[in-house]
């Protein structure tokens, strides 16, 4: 599962707002805000939608086993 830090870093990398991420992932902007503020309760489904939105923009999330460790631009 992607982490809060990965979400923040991906948004910064792409220079997109919470609203733009919400639109791209079909997730409420208040949900994006709550996730980034560290509130618990984000479902795997919601995080999956967010991850997919970033992946559609060319980012790839890096994990060491189950632990999220970073992101990078996907190689083509």
């Amino acid at each position: 599962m992607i982490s809060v830090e990965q979400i923040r870093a991906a948004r910064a990398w792409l220079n997109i707002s919470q609203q733009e991420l919400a639109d791209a992932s079909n997730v409420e902007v208040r949900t994006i805000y709550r996730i980034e503020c560290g509130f618990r309760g984000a479902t795997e489904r919601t995080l999956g939608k967010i991850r997919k939105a970033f992946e559609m923009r060319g980012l790839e999330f890096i994990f060491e086993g189950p632990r999220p460790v970073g992101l990078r631009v996907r190689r083509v």
Side-chain angles (χ1 to χ4, degrees), residues 34-51:
R34 291 177 60 80
I35 290 168
E36 289 191 2
C37 285
F39 290 104
R40 303 267 185 228
T43 65
E44 285 190 41
R45 181 176 180 215
T46 297
L47 293 174
K49 290 168 120 181
I50 293 168
R51 180 177 178 170

Side-chain angles (χ1 to χ4, degrees), residues 11-62:
R11 265 197 336 101
W13 187 300
L14 295 172
N15 192 30
I16 62 172
S17 68
Q18 289 179 342
Q19 183 63 60
E20 289 171 302
L21 176 56
D23 293 342
S25 62
N26 200 28
V27 171
E28 298 263 343
V29 70
R30 68 178 179 208
T31 301
I32 303 292
Y33 171 81
R34 291 177 60 80
I35 290 168
E36 289 191 2
C37 285
F39 290 104
R40 303 267 185 228
T43 65
E44 285 190 41
R45 181 176 180 215
T46 297
L47 293 174
K49 290 168 120 181
I50 293 168
R51 180 177 178 170
K52 183 177 178 181
F54 284 130
E55 289 173 345
M56 296 295 291
R57 290 180 179 225
L59 295 185
E60 181 178 354
F61 292 88
I62 304 168

